């Protein structure tokens, strides 16, 4: 297996596990990634319109290559990609460990690890971890490991536009088709792509909360739906896990995340109706005892800030506007809670981010420098 194919398989596997579409992928009627539990289904799959030139098909024991009929790329694997425990290998190059969420805190991470929710107990444990992070700032250590991929994110409250049959499909040993091993059945191997899309839409529309299909065979909607609805911040929590994994790869361990348990500026802890509280796309601010960092969605950079700049940045994110920050600083100064109002420092922070192409707040230009 050459390096280009190895890299492609890794990208497709992450998409198939999480439900996130491939970056830059041009949607088509066929699925981007298809995983078969049994190669006996392969002929039926290749004879249908659910595969095409953009599709990567993973099937046990098949020879790597390109299918002449469909143009799909075929890749063989050993082991299982569908279970709640075990492992899989691809080309003796890629190795994947699989475990259910509930046992993950007690397992050693030996490499790339797929963590699945396989029942109500797993789901409740996931929610307990999310609540602890939100309320106390304690993130489960395994969940922030760069080795971990948590499966079926849209079912856990993440905003994943594009999850569905156009992104991923799974065929079980009996020929049943879903988007994941824990998902509701969409059809049977060989069914046309349009029928699978129709089933996805119909089953999703039957739920009040998006994401019902990927976990529907493992966690009842009566359990999942209300739990997700009561926690509109789950998408931001899952985005915070992504951030913390990335920071770990940079050697930044155990940072605090603003809005999870506490704020960098203590006076902001009691602010209600925070604009960024439930928004996974809003910038993140996190800090260690020595440094502070800001991550902005869509910008492939982590900005390092000094302490005062980080405090001002947090004020902007929490209060939602430059004018509100000015008022906040003036009130604190009048109450003797801070030094002189330094509007120029706020402007410098806004200018720093503007220079990087980042608009932290919509009214950034309104603050005027102090004479």
């Amino acid at each position: 297996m050459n390096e280009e194919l190895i890299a492609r398989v890794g990208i497709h596997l992450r998409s198939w596990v999480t439900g996130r579409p491939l970056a830059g992928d041009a949607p088509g009627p066929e699925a981007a990634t298809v995983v078969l539990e049994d190669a006996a289904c392969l002929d039926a799959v290749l004879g249908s319109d659910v595969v095409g030139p953009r599709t990567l098909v993973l099937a046990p024991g098949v020879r790597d290559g390109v299918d002449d009929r469909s143009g799909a790329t075929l890749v063989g694997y050993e082991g299982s990609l569908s279970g709640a425990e075990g492992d899989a290998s691809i080309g003796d190059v890629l190795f994947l460990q699989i475990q259910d969420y509930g046992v993950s805190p007690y397992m050693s991470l030996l490499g790339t690890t797929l963590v699945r929710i396989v029942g109500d107990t797993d789901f409740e444990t996931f929610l307990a971890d999310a609540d602890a992070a939100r309320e106390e700032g304690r993130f489960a250590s395994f969940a922030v490991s760069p080795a971990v991929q948590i499966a079926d994110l849209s079912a856990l409250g993440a905003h994943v536009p594009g999850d569905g049959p156009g992104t991923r499909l799974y065929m079980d040993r009996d020929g049943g088709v879903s988007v994941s091993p824990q998902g509701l059945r969409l059809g049977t191997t060989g069914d046309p792509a349009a029928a699978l899309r129709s089933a996805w839409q119909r089953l999703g529309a039957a739920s009040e909360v998006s994401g019902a299909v990927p976990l529907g065979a493992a966690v009842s909607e009566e359990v999942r739906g209300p739990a997700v609805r009561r926690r509109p911040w789950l998408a931001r929590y899952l985005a915070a896990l992504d951030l913390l994994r990335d920071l770990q790869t940079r050697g930044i361990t155990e940072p605090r995340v603003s809005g999870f348990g506490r704020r960098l500026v203590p006076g902001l802890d009691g602010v209600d109706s925070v604009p960024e509280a439930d928004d996974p796309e809003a910038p993140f601010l996190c800090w260690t005892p020595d440094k502070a960092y800001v991550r902005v969605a869509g910008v492939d950079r982590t900005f390092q800030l000094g302490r005062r700049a980080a405090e001002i940045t947090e004020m902007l994110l929490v209060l939602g506007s430059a004018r509100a920050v000015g008022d906040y600083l003036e009130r604190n100064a009048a109450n003797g809670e801070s030094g002189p109002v330094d509007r120029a420092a706020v402007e410098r922070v806004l200018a720093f981010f503007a220079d990087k192409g980042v608009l932290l707040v919509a009214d950034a230009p309104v603050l005027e420098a102090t004479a």
Side-chain angles (χ1 to χ4, degrees), residues 70-274:
S70 64
T73 300
L74 307 180
V75 175
Y77 71 89
E78 303 295 329
S80 173
L81 290 170
S82 61
E85 58 182 25
D87 52 62
S89 63
I90 300 170
D92 292 327
V93 176
L94 296 176
F95 299 91
L96 183 68
Q97 183 178 355
I98 304 170
Q99 58 198 37
D100 64 79
Y101 192 97
V103 305
S104 293
Y106 314 106
M107 302 290 286
S108 298
L109 298 176
L110 302 178
T112 302
T113 302
L114 159 60
V115 175
R116 291 192 183 281
I117 305 291
V118 297
D120 288 353
T121 300
D122 275 347
F123 184 62
E124 290 165 2
T125 303
F126 164 79
L127 294 175
D129 285 347
D131 289 341
R134 179 74 168 186
E135 297 165 9
E136 303 169 26
R138 293 189 294 106
F139 291 84
S141 58
F142 80 89
V144 299
S145 167
V148 164
Q149 291 285 339
I150 297 177
D152 305 316
L153 295 176
S154 63
L156 302 178
H159 180 55
V160 190
D163 191 9
T167 292
R168 55 176 180 156
L169 286 173
Y170 167 72
M171 279 77 170
D172 66 23
R173 194 172 299 277
D174 298 323
V177 179
S178 186
V179 293
S180 77
Q182 282 68 45
L184 294 175
R185 183 167 177 149
L186 301 177
T188 301
T189 302
D191 284 352
L196 300 179
R197 289 196 301 272
S198 177
W200 166 269
Q201 293 165 358
R202 173 175 51 80
L203 292 169
S207 172
E208 295 182 6
V209 182
S210 63
V213 177
L215 272 184
V219 179
S220 70
E221 192 56 18
E222 290 76 13
V223 171
R224 189 201 73 91
V228 172
R229 186 169 55 249
R230 289 194 300 268
R231 298 169 175 83
W233 45 265
L234 279 172
R236 186 156 179 83
Y237 164 69
L238 290 164
L241 295 183
D242 288 337
L243 166 64
L244 293 172
R245 293 185 197 113
D246 181 68
L247 291 178
Q248 278 210 37
T249 66
R250 302 163 185 256
I252 303 165
T253 59
E254 299 185 358
R256 299 302 300 260
V257 182
S258 179
F260 288 85
R262 59 169 291 189
R263 299 286 184 184
L264 177 63
V265 179
L268 298 175
D269 285 332
V271 175
D272 297 323
S273 303
V274 178

Side-chain angles (χ1 to χ4, degrees), residues 302-324:
T302 298
F303 302 106
Q304 182 175 316
L305 302 177
R307 183 78 176 197
R308 184 55 177 163
E311 292 173 345
I312 292 171
T313 300
E314 186 178 57
M315 294 178 202
L316 290 163
L317 296 176
V318 171
L319 299 174
S321 73
R323 186 178 298 280

